[in-house]
Amino acid sequence: MSGSPDSNIFIPDVDIWTFLFERGSKPFSNDQVIYTCSVTGRHYTYDHVRNTASKFGCALIRRWSWQKGDVLALFTPNNIDTPAITWGCQWAGGIVSPANPAYTRAELSHHLKDSGAKAVVTHKSLLNTALEAAKDAGLPRSRVILIGDERDESEQVSHFTSLLSFADSNQARVKMNPNTDLAFLVYSSGTTGLPKGVMLTHTNIVSNLAMVATVDGVMLKSKIDKVLSVLPYYHIYGLMFLIHLPIYIGVESVTMARFEIETFCSLIQENRITYTYVAPPIVLRLAKDALVDNYDLSSLRMITSGAAPLTKELILAVYQRLGIPTKQAYGLSETSPATHVQHWESWRTAMGSVGQALPNLTVKFMDLDGKETSQGEPGEIWIKGPTVFKGYLNNPVATSEAITRDGFFQTGDIGFQDVHGNLFITDRIKELIKYKGSQVAPAELEGILSTHPKVKDIAVVGVYVDAIASEVPLGYIVPVHGVVPDEGTAREIVDWLATRVVKVKQLRGGIVWIKEIPKSASGKILRRVLKADAKNDKAMAAIKFQAPGNRQKL
């Protein structure tokens, strides 16, 4: 078990607004630019965010009779108006529930109904879907408003700025109980089923922000560093590190609506970006995409990768190609999110780890029998501390299954801790492949296969084969441009892997060539999609257990 009272920090018993905007002092001025739009150059200073947020919160109360605990859904790509809207809702006592901007009408309708949203904030590009979903959820059109630089020419909905005129300086901010009142209702990625509403309190977020600041907050400097914000704001990773952390430590965040490799590289070059938070797919592109050579990325001091495991092979590939170090972080929606953030200086000495536990957390590793493992032995990661969520919305059964009676959250992730306290993630419990009694971690095979010169992207899943009454590893591979996706190439890759892993870890299911690996917006491989594909594919019956597969899907 790790975690010591000696490493704890003081966390004030306040809500998010007080923590960010009513602190006694801060290491930057009120006119510090915090959020900048990468397309238009429009920006918000610290003071501008605070003033806009308080006006919006006041307008919610006076115009819509906003009540404490009302939910505001955000259905929008990354936008520099999002932070002010977020804290404005909380100023009025509300709960913010970000929704995936890739949602269909049905998916957004479910989100609105499940969260009990009282209004929807969206972007012009998503207006039709938002209006349709709002109608399904029983929300009037007047409760749909826009953010961003575009207005609705048809005048079906208003822009949020039109509400600001209803603000009244005499309106008092709603008082919150940080420990019990919710700040966010975020939805899990749904890689194992329907998304669940994760209830996060003000204390959860304030604690995590204070804890993360002991690592990245020390290294990032106001007026010196610039962060490129490419991770989706609706995801807890982006919500914490790209919305909350910049305004807490006073660094400029250059906002991208969505990831595109050329735009990503050009913005780093043009804005002299010094830091960025990414998911493993972006690290993979930086390591392998030929377009990267067209840009000067030398301003980047460090990259942090999170949301999914990243192998040391990819870390080395990026460093050898670009001279940019990459460190890792780990967390979950249910832990607000970060539990581990690798220190800058340890990216090389603890390569492949996600670093040490943040202050105020207790971490232990449990075997399948519910017993704590020995030092260095892998087990399910259990975490306890002030960032552990309140529970799943309207789902007491799932909550009781996730949180133990003594307050530990059972992450479902498997890992181990070295003698220095560095955490190494090996895989998810439900994603482990059991080959004839032996456990095979897909992430390990993916890390190795990603280094093959003919592999652009890779996902490994387990498929059950009746003939041997066992699962076997099956690789879904996106070939590098110009590579012929045929049986010969598949055999070459499978044989290559066989020289690098023990027999139980070989790709006995073979290879399926595919155009793109399905992933969530946060970069997690959607293995359930691939498993469903394999299960429904009649050709699976023809798998050769000692030879590479030859099925193609291009």
Side-chain angles (χ1 to χ4, degrees), residues 349-501:
T349 56
M351 192 178 299
S353 83
V354 296
Q356 299 172 342
L358 291 172
N360 301 63
L361 294 179
T362 302
V363 182
K364 62 182 180 179
F365 303 84
M366 308 297 289
D367 64 19
L368 296 177
D369 296 322
K371 297 179 180 178
E372 192 167 354
T373 63
S374 303
Q375 167 66 43
E377 291 295 317
E380 183 183 6
I381 304 164
W382 288 18
I383 296 172
K384 182 178 182 180
T387 61
V388 172
F389 73 132
K390 189 175 182 179
Y392 295 112
L393 180 69
N394 301 324
N395 199 334
V397 173
T399 300
S400 63
E401 291 175 347
I403 304 176
T404 66
R405 290 183 178 181
D406 55 349
F408 278 92
F409 170 58
Q410 304 171 78
T411 68
D413 286 327
I414 297 173
F416 67 91
Q417 185 173 277
D418 68 12
V419 294
H420 302 293
N422 295 301
L423 173 64
F424 291 80
I425 306 295
T426 56
D427 226 299
R428 291 280 300 171
I429 286 179
K430 294 181 179 179
E431 292 176 350
L432 284 175
I433 301 167
K434 292 187 177 181
Y435 175 69
K436 294 185 175 181
S438 297
Q439 294 184 331
V440 181
E444 178 186 1
L445 299 185
E446 289 159 359
I448 298 170
L449 287 163
S450 68
T451 66
H452 193 283
K454 294 184 179 180
V455 175
K456 182 178 181 181
D457 204 357
I458 172 71
V460 175
V461 298
V463 291
Y464 191 82
V465 179
D466 292 332
I468 59 172
S470 176
E471 285 186 316
V472 295
L474 169 68
Y476 280 83
I477 289 180
V478 179
V480 169
H481 180 70
V483 170
V484 179
D486 58 11
E487 181 179 357
T489 306
R491 182 177 297 276
E492 172 193 332
I493 294 172
V494 171
D495 290 347
W496 176 88
L497 178 67
T499 66
R500 289 162 171 78
V501 296

Side-chain angles (χ1 to χ4, degrees), residues 170-193:
N170 294 318
Q171 178 68 50
R173 180 168 68 88
V174 176
K175 293 183 178 180
M176 309 297 291
N177 184 323
N179 291 294
T180 58
D181 289 334
L182 298 187
F184 291 98
L185 182 59
V186 301
Y187 279 74
S188 63
S189 57
T191 55
T192 58

Side-chain angles (χ1 to χ4, degrees), residues 51-329:
N51 292 338
T52 303
S54 61
K55 288 181 179 179
F56 181 68
C58 181
L60 285 180
I61 294 173
R62 299 186 65 80
R63 179 63 171 170
W64 286 351
S65 299
W66 203 254
Q67 301 296 307
K68 183 177 179 178
D70 281 353
V71 174
L72 179 68
L74 300 183
F75 179 60
T76 171
N78 288 6
N79 190 277
I80 62 168
D81 293 330
T82 299
I85 293 295
T86 296
W87 295 312
C89 173
Q90 293 169 353
W91 189 97
I95 303 166
V96 177
S97 185
N100 188 339
Y103 272 167
T104 63
R105 172 180 180 173
E107 289 170 326
L108 181 59
S109 296
H110 170 77
H111 184 110
L112 298 179
K113 293 174 183 177
D114 191 70
S115 66
K118 301 296 184 181
V120 184
V121 174
T122 190
H123 187 269
K124 174 68 182 303
S125 61
L126 302 175
L127 180 57
N128 289 337
T129 301
L131 286 172
E132 292 169 348
K135 182 178 180 181
D136 294 342
L139 291 177
R141 184 172 296 178
S142 61
R143 288 299 182 99
V144 179
I145 58 175
L146 292 179
I147 60 174
D149 293 292
E150 297 181 83
R151 279 18 179 207
D152 175 28
E153 297 86 355
S154 65
E155 298 184 349
Q156 297 180 86
V157 299
S158 301
H159 195 268
F160 88 94
T161 52
S162 67
L163 294 180
L164 301 184
S165 61
F166 292 93
D168 184 341
S169 59
N170 294 318
Q171 178 68 50
R173 180 168 68 88
V174 176
K175 293 183 178 180
M176 309 297 291
N177 184 323
N179 291 294
T180 58
D181 289 334
L182 298 187
F184 291 98
L185 182 59
V186 301
Y187 279 74
S188 63
S189 57
T191 55
T192 58
L194 283 175
K196 298 188 290 288
V198 177
M199 299 186 291
L200 300 176
T201 67
H202 284 260
T203 294
N204 290 154
I205 301 300
V206 167
S207 299
N208 203 254
L209 188 51
M211 290 153 56
V212 166
T214 64
V215 182
D216 284 359
V218 173
M219 300 304 297
L220 293 171
K221 304 298 182 182
S222 185
K223 296 190 181 301
I224 295 176
D225 285 295
K226 282 188 179 183
V227 176
L228 182 56
S229 293
V230 62
L231 293 168
Y233 282 178
Y234 83 87
H235 190 270
I236 188 66
Y237 183 9
L239 183 63
M240 175 56 67
F241 285 89
L242 302 181
I243 291 183
H244 286 80
L245 188 60
I247 202 165
Y248 182 62
I249 62 178
V251 296
E252 183 176 356
S253 171
V254 179
T255 301
M256 291 181 66
R258 59 188 59 82
F259 174 74
E260 194 279 321
I261 186 64
E262 288 189 88
T263 304
F264 179 81
C265 292
S266 66
L267 287 174
I268 293 174
Q269 177 178 285
E270 293 166 9
N271 293 274
R272 304 304 295 166
I273 297 294
T274 63
Y275 197 82
T276 187
Y277 294 92
V278 301
I282 297 179
V283 179
L284 184 67
R285 296 293 294 273
L286 291 174
K288 295 208 167 195
D289 203 307
L291 290 170
V292 174
D293 290 332
N294 298 330
Y295 299 92
D296 175 11
L297 308 184
S298 61
S299 62
L300 270 181
R301 294 202 287 139
M302 179 68 75
I303 296 170
T304 289
S305 178
L310 182 67
T311 62
K312 61 183 180 181
E313 288 85 0
L314 272 180
I315 294 171
L316 282 172
V318 171
Y319 187 72
Q320 290 166 359
R321 183 183 189 185
L322 302 172
I324 302 170
T326 302
K327 67 185 185 73
Q328 296 195 73

